[in-house]
Amino acid sequence: MSSYHHGHLRSTLLEQGVELARAQGPEGVVLREVARRSGVSHNAAYRHFADRNALLAEIAEVGMQRLGLAMLAEMDQVALEPGPDRARARLRATGRAYVNFALAEPGLFAVAFASVDVQPDSSDLSVATQVDEQVSPHPYGLLGQALDELDAVGGMAPDRREGAEVLCWSAVHGYAVLHLDGPLHAVPEVERSAGLESLLDQIQRGLG
Amino acid sequence: MSSYHHGHLRSTLLEQGVELARAQGPEGVVLREVARRSGVSHNAAYRHFADRNALLAEIAEVGMQRLGLAMLAEMDQVALEPGPDRARARLRATGRAYVNFALAEPGLFAVAFASVDVQPDSSDLSVATQVDEQVSPHPYGLLGQALDELDAVGGMAPDRREGAEVLCWSAVHGYAVLHLDGPLHAVPEVERSAGLESLLDQIQRGLG
DNA sequence: TGTACATCAGTGAACGCGCGTTCACTGATGTAC
DNA sequence: TGTACATCAGTGAACGCGCGTTCACTGATGTAC
């Protein structure tokens, strides 16, 4: 056992925290268990995170990053020529990826949106963000980008650009949440995907 | 103290549970506290509810009922002549009331949507539902009704009637949740209401 | 090159917490005769 | 009308749980001289 001076304990703790979040959601992120899985005594974590909330907040950030990456990947899947069709397809891609991510990674998604109320004493956090791999696209930013593209090619009514993020986001977020936790959690996947495409249609008509 | 044979302990417990839910959400519904507030020892509750989850499930039902009543009240506010305008206004009313209820009663809203996973041993539940005041409108039913009206007066594309509930519901639910828990919780009320009306516009365009 | 020492990153024991649930009980109520 | 008794609706004590957090500590590391 090279238990002393682990060397990368911080990142290990974060990793294990992420795994716990993936498997069991916010409740599952138990400080003692994170330490256990990292092969370290339960209070070693306090060397690296102020408290449980601070760890949770960083896990949330990882969740957001992964969500952003999933959206980006789906957007990049679109192979159409530049123009309204392409812009529309890329906007749809953001929404589709969002919902699919939520359903594929319910625990991480829940942590990402569980408002943790971090105190802004977080010089910690900003460091972590820097250290992380190259700038990763925030979901909200990607949505804005997709909407900008659509607007630029005349794919939407120009006076509807403002606030469009929130409208799209609400629809897609609600759809995800209702199927995740909520009353629609038993809807079979086929119907769910079909419903999702209808939802994306509706959003498009709402904008156009 | 006529502590023995309370006579209406069950309904008192439920009431207190609802109050706790309103004030503190699902976490706040602590069996021992419910009993305390009902002036009864903490295990008396087990005479009336199988366990904490069973109580929570009934509180959720009360939450749904109140949500339905709020929607109904807002719908009945619409004083227009029968026709497409009235149907549209009544549909908007369901959405507006939904979001406003969620923000006015966050705790109860959260409990109502926290899937409690009740075992279906619930002869209990069905009784409770009967005992309750006159048949109260379920939110989903009201939404369906509003959509039917709109469809009947030609206010929407007929091939979009199917599945329209889920589309409207998602948008409005997402809007509520993002402002409740989520990243938009700091948005000031004025903006929130304005955004809500935009959202309702968008839904309408999506259907029409 | 060696050494003294500050600092850092771990350890293990302990505390306090309040909960949900179960147990064996007891007092009140209603009913059959 | 009285009485015996089953049933019901409470009581109080106890259990087990695992957590987050704090405390005083110790071994490893790096650096100044």
Side-chain angles (χ1 to χ4, degrees):
Chain A
M1 312 246 130
S2 64
S3 33
Y4 267 94
H5 293 88
H6 191 295
H8 47 286
L9 220 206
R10 184 191 170 82
S11 57
T12 302
L13 289 167
L14 184 51
E15 262 171 45
Q16 296 301 330
V18 167
E19 288 314 304
L20 241 19
R22 293 183 65 201
Q24 311 178 49
E27 314 283 86
V29 181
V30 164
L31 216 51
R32 293 173 101 110
E33 180 62 20
V34 171
R36 243 172 260 138
R37 296 193 177 195
S38 303
V40 116
S41 75
H42 59 270
N43 40 359
Y46 288 92
R47 292 284 158 205
H48 301 282
F49 300 93
D51 56 14
R52 179 175 175 269
N53 264 354
L55 174 58
L56 221 34
E58 293 208 22
I59 298 172
E61 207 148 309
V62 171
M64 277 296 181
Q65 284 171 8
R66 296 202 184 169
L67 173 55
L69 290 172
M71 288 167 67
L72 194 56
E74 184 95 8
M75 288 170 82
D76 285 350
Q77 207 84 342
V78 175
L80 297 171
E81 297 290 305
D85 281 354
R86 175 186 164 85
R88 268 191 277 273
R90 281 171 61 86
L91 177 60
R92 292 179 77 98
T94 63
R96 197 180 302 113
Y98 189 98
V99 172
N100 287 339
F101 182 88
L103 286 152
E105 293 282 6
L108 206 47
F109 185 80
V111 173
F113 283 95
S115 62
V116 174
D117 277 337
V118 210
Q119 355 267 39
D121 59 58
S122 43
S123 58
D124 245 8
L125 277 177
S126 53
V127 170
T129 306
Q130 278 184 327
V131 167
D132 261 304
E133 65 242 68
Q134 75 283 3
V135 188
S136 90
H138 192 278
Y140 189 79
L142 288 172
L143 174 56
Q145 205 175 298
L147 286 166
D148 281 345
E149 286 180 41
L150 187 62
D151 193 19
V153 299
M156 65 184 290
D159 63 321
R160 291 185 196 145
R161 176 63 191 85
E162 199 193 324
E165 279 94 343
V166 173
L167 307 186
C168 295
W169 194 8
S170 294
V172 139
H173 190 80
Y175 194 83
V177 164
L178 289 173
H179 285 82
L180 219 52
D181 281 326
L184 303 181
H185 76 105
V187 171
E189 198 194 325
V190 194
E191 274 179 57
R192 197 214 303 144
S193 322
L196 176 53
E197 296 303 323
S198 295
L199 182 71
L200 299 173
D201 290 344
Q202 170 152 7
I203 290 173
Q204 209 160 281
R205 282 194 302 270
L207 294 171
Chain B
M1 307 254 129
S2 64
S3 34
Y4 268 95
H5 293 90
H6 191 296
H8 48 286
L9 219 206
R10 183 189 171 84
S11 57
T12 300
L13 290 167
L14 185 51
E15 262 170 46
Q16 297 300 329
V18 167
E19 289 313 305
L20 241 19
R22 294 183 64 200
Q24 312 179 48
E27 313 284 86
V29 180
V30 165
L31 216 54
R32 293 173 101 110
E33 181 61 21
V34 171
R36 244 171 259 138
R37 297 194 178 196
S38 303
V40 116
S41 76
H42 60 270
N43 40 359
Y46 287 93
R47 292 285 157 203
H48 300 283
F49 301 92
D51 55 15
R52 178 176 175 270
N53 264 354
L55 174 59
L56 221 35
E58 294 207 24
I59 297 172
E61 204 148 312
V62 171
M64 277 295 182
Q65 284 170 9
R66 295 201 186 171
L67 174 54
L69 290 172
M71 290 168 67
L72 194 56
E74 185 96 7
M75 289 170 82
D76 285 352
Q77 208 85 341
V78 175
L80 298 169
E81 299 289 303
D85 282 354
R86 173 185 165 86
R88 269 192 275 273
R90 281 171 61 86
L91 177 60
R92 292 178 77 96
T94 64
R96 196 180 301 114
Y98 190 98
V99 172
N100 287 338
F101 182 87
L103 286 153
E105 293 282 5
L108 206 47
F109 186 79
V111 173
F113 283 94
S115 62
V116 175
D117 277 336
V118 211
Q119 354 267 39
D121 59 56
S122 44
S123 58
D124 246 9
L125 278 178
S126 52
V127 170
T129 307
Q130 277 184 328
V131 168
D132 263 305
E133 63 242 69
Q134 76 283 5
V135 187
S136 89
H138 192 279
Y140 190 78
L142 288 172
L143 174 56
Q145 203 176 301
L147 286 165
D148 282 344
E149 286 180 41
L150 187 62
D151 193 19
V153 299
M156 66 183 290
D159 64 320
R160 292 185 196 146
R161 176 63 190 84
E162 201 193 324
E165 278 93 343
V166 173
L167 307 186
C168 296
W169 194 9
S170 294
V172 138
H173 190 80
Y175 194 83
V177 164
L178 288 173
H179 284 81
L180 220 51
D181 282 327
L184 303 182
H185 75 104
V187 171
E189 197 193 325
V190 193
E191 274 179 56
R192 196 212 305 144
S193 321
L196 176 53
E197 296 303 321
S198 294
L199 182 70
L200 299 174
D201 289 345
Q202 170 152 6
I203 291 174
Q204 209 160 280
R205 283 194 301 269
L207 293 171

Coordinates of all heavy atoms in Angstrom, one line a residue, chain A residues 78-91 146-156:
Chain A
V78 N -24.5 16.1 -38.1 CA -25.3 16.6 -39.2 C -24.4 16.9 -40.4 O -23.4 17.7 -40.3 CB -26.0 17.9 -38.8 CG1 -26.7 18.5 -40.0 CG2 -27.0 17.6 -37.7
A79 N -24.7 16.3 -41.6 CA -23.8 16.4 -42.7 C -24.3 17.3 -43.8 O -23.8 17.2 -45.0 CB -23.4 15.0 -43.2
L80 N -25.4 18.0 -43.5 CA -26.0 18.8 -44.6 C -25.2 20.0 -45.1 O -24.3 20.5 -44.3 CB -27.4 19.3 -44.2 CG -28.4 18.1 -43.8 CD1 -29.6 18.7 -43.2 CD2 -28.7 17.4 -45.1
E81 N -25.5 20.4 -46.3 CA -24.9 21.7 -46.8 C -25.3 22.9 -45.9 O -26.5 22.8 -45.4 CB -25.4 22.0 -48.2 CG -25.0 20.9 -49.2 CD -23.5 21.0 -49.5 OE1 -23.0 22.1 -49.9 OE2 -22.9 19.9 -49.3
P82 N -24.5 23.8 -45.7 CA -24.9 25.0 -45.0 C -26.2 25.6 -45.5 O -26.4 25.6 -46.8 CB -23.8 26.0 -45.2 CG -22.6 25.2 -45.4 CD -23.1 23.9 -46.1
G83 N -27.1 26.0 -44.7 CA -28.4 26.6 -45.1 C -29.4 26.3 -44.0 O -29.1 25.7 -43.0
P84 N -30.7 26.7 -44.2 CA -31.7 26.5 -43.2 C -31.9 25.0 -42.8 O -32.1 24.8 -41.6 CB -33.0 27.0 -44.0 CG -32.5 27.9 -45.0 CD -31.1 27.3 -45.5
D85 N -31.8 24.1 -43.7 CA -32.0 22.7 -43.3 C -30.9 22.3 -42.3 O -31.2 21.6 -41.4 CB -31.9 21.8 -44.6 CG -33.2 21.9 -45.4 OD1 -34.2 22.5 -44.8 OD2 -33.3 21.3 -46.5
R86 N -29.7 22.6 -42.7 CA -28.6 22.3 -41.8 C -28.8 22.9 -40.4 O -28.7 22.2 -39.3 CB -27.3 22.7 -42.3 CG -26.1 22.5 -41.4 CD -24.9 23.1 -42.1 NE -23.8 23.3 -41.1 CZ -22.9 22.3 -40.7 NH1 -23.0 21.1 -41.3 NH2 -22.0 22.5 -39.8
A87 N -29.2 24.2 -40.4 CA -29.3 24.9 -39.1 C -30.4 24.2 -38.3 O -30.3 24.0 -37.1 CB -29.7 26.3 -39.3
R88 N -31.5 23.9 -39.0 CA -32.6 23.2 -38.3 C -32.2 21.9 -37.7 O -32.5 21.5 -36.6 CB -33.8 23.1 -39.2 CG -34.8 24.2 -39.2 CD -36.1 23.9 -39.9 NE -35.9 24.1 -41.4 CZ -36.2 25.3 -42.0 NH1 -36.5 26.3 -41.2 NH2 -36.0 25.4 -43.3
A89 N -31.5 21.2 -38.5 CA -31.0 19.8 -38.1 C -30.1 19.9 -36.9 O -30.2 19.1 -35.9 CB -30.4 19.1 -39.2
R90 N -29.3 20.9 -36.9 CA -28.3 21.1 -35.8 C -29.1 21.5 -34.5 O -28.7 21.1 -33.4 CB -27.2 22.1 -36.1 CG -26.2 21.4 -37.0 CD -25.2 22.4 -37.6 NE -24.4 23.1 -36.6 CZ -23.3 22.7 -36.0 NH1 -22.8 21.5 -36.3 NH2 -22.6 23.4 -35.1
L91 N -30.1 22.3 -34.6 CA -30.9 22.7 -33.5 C -31.6 21.4 -32.9 O -31.6 21.2 -31.7 CB -31.9 23.7 -33.8 CG -32.8 24.1 -32.6 CD1 -32.1 24.7 -31.5 CD2 -33.9 25.1 -33.1
A146 N -26.7 27.2 -31.8 CA -27.6 26.6 -32.8 C -28.7 27.6 -33.2 O -29.0 27.7 -34.4 CB -28.1 25.3 -32.2
L147 N -29.2 28.3 -32.2 CA -30.2 29.3 -32.5 C -29.7 30.4 -33.3 O -30.4 30.9 -34.2 CB -30.8 29.8 -31.2 CG -31.8 28.8 -30.5 CD1 -32.1 29.2 -29.0 CD2 -33.1 28.6 -31.2
D148 N -28.5 30.8 -33.0 CA -27.9 31.9 -33.8 C -27.7 31.5 -35.3 O -28.1 32.2 -36.2 CB -26.5 32.2 -33.3 CG -26.5 33.1 -32.0 OD1 -27.6 33.7 -31.8 OD2 -25.5 33.2 -31.3
E149 N -27.3 30.3 -35.5 CA -27.1 29.8 -36.8 C -28.5 29.8 -37.6 O -28.6 30.3 -38.7 CB -26.7 28.3 -36.8 CG -25.2 28.1 -36.5 CD -24.9 26.6 -36.5 OE1 -25.3 25.9 -37.4 OE2 -24.1 26.1 -35.6
L150 N -29.5 29.3 -36.9 CA -30.8 29.2 -37.5 C -31.3 30.6 -37.8 O -31.9 30.9 -38.9 CB -31.8 28.6 -36.5 CG -33.2 28.3 -37.1 CD1 -33.1 27.3 -38.2 CD2 -34.1 27.7 -36.0
D151 N -31.1 31.6 -36.9 CA -31.5 32.9 -37.1 C -30.7 33.5 -38.3 O -31.3 34.2 -39.2 CB -31.1 33.7 -35.9 CG -31.8 35.1 -35.9 OD1 -32.8 35.3 -36.7 OD2 -31.4 36.0 -35.1
A152 N -29.4 33.2 -38.4 CA -28.6 33.8 -39.4 C -29.0 33.4 -40.8 O -29.0 34.2 -41.8 CB -27.1 33.4 -39.2
V153 N -29.5 32.2 -41.0 CA -29.9 31.7 -42.3 C -31.4 32.0 -42.5 O -32.0 31.4 -43.5 CB -29.6 30.2 -42.5 CG1 -28.1 30.0 -42.4 CG2 -30.4 29.4 -41.5
G154 N -32.0 32.7 -41.7 CA -33.4 33.1 -41.9 C -34.4 31.9 -41.6 O -35.5 31.9 -42.0
G155 N -33.9 31.0 -40.7 CA -34.8 29.9 -40.4 C -35.8 30.1 -39.3 O -36.5 29.2 -38.9
M156 N -35.8 31.3 -38.8 CA -36.7 31.6 -37.7 C -37.2 33.1 -37.8 O -36.5 33.9 -38.4 CB -36.2 31.3 -36.3 CG -35.0 32.2 -36.0 SD -34.3 31.8 -34.4 CE -35.5 32.3 -33.2

